[in-house]
Amino acid sequence: SDDGEEEETQLYDENDQLALVLDDTNKSAWTKHLSEMGYKIEYSKTPEKAIYKIKFTQFHVVILHENFGGTSLEESPFYETIRDMPMSSRRKVFVALAGRNFKSANNMQAFQHSVNLVINEKDIEKSPQILKKAVADNDAFYKVFKETLKTLGKV
């Protein structure tokens, strides 16, 4: 590729926190915020490459713009892949959906779109606080969830 973003799969340490940014419009802002939060960041130019990455790399956070890949959310192959993931894989990935029509951190909108968080584009500068809290809440919820499954002998 022209800017070296898509070369061979990166190698990471098991403790690395990985983020996949699929938002060309706000790429530099997300890169800045996620780097400051300690994430190692990858990008994809196309939904196909993004689908490949999510299948073979354990991302902790995915930032998805509603028009990534030049389609509407309803027609997005990446969004469809996220929605169709088995729950055991899906719950390991925190998905934030960015766009013009969302009310940031609105739980009902997030639930309706099967994502962990929605962020309005105009709030991206405030996103580190929103994202940190939402990721922490999500981690805490799944920690309890996993411990409960363990107690019930389901894991």
Side-chain angles (χ1 to χ4, degrees), residues 7-24:
E7 63 278 357
E8 72 284 354
T9 308
Q10 300 289 317
L11 295 175
Y12 295 106
D13 294 330
E14 57 183 316
N15 299 326
D16 287 343
Q17 295 283 305
L18 309 181
L20 179 61
V21 173
L22 306 174
D23 181 354
D24 292 334

Side-chain angles (χ1 to χ4, degrees), residues 11-12 24-25 31 39 50 57 59-60 63-64 106 119 124:
L11 295 175
Y12 295 106
D24 292 334
T25 317
T31 300
Y39 288 95
T57 305
F59 289 99
H60 298 85
I63 307 287
L64 174 63
N106 182 299
I119 294 182
I124 285 176

Side-chain angles (χ1 to χ4, degrees), residues 76-129:
S76 164
F78 183 82
Y79 179 60
E80 190 180 330
T81 300
I82 288 283
R83 284 199 328 238
D84 293 348
M85 278 173 116
M87 203 53 206
S88 56
S89 314
R90 174 63 185 87
R91 66 172 168 253
K92 294 176 186 157
V93 187
F94 183 95
V95 180
L97 187 56
R100 250 166 273 130
N101 305 308
F102 303 122
K103 189 174 185 303
S104 291
N106 182 299
N107 289 332
M108 188 44 89
Q109 278 188 330
F111 178 75
Q112 286 165 343
H113 289 91
S114 309
V115 295
N116 301 89
L117 177 68
V118 290
I119 294 182
N120 189 291
E121 282 184 307
K122 67 180 189 304
D123 294 330
I124 285 176
E125 279 313 313
K126 290 185 286 198
S127 68
Q129 297 87 321

Side-chain angles (χ1 to χ4, degrees), residues 2-3 5-6 20-31 34 41-47 49-50 53 63-71 96 98-100 121 124:
D2 49 11
D3 57 0
E5 265 172 23
E6 297 285 352
L20 179 61
V21 173
L22 306 174
D23 181 354
D24 292 334
T25 317
N26 309 292
K27 186 172 167 179
S28 57
W30 287 122
T31 300
L34 290 163
I41 306 166
E42 287 200 20
Y43 312 90
S44 285
K45 285 188 169 32
T46 65
K49 286 183 173 159
K53 284 188 176 190
I63 307 287
L64 174 63
H65 189 276
E66 61 183 345
N67 301 128
F68 171 66
T71 66
R100 250 166 273 130
E121 282 184 307
I124 285 176

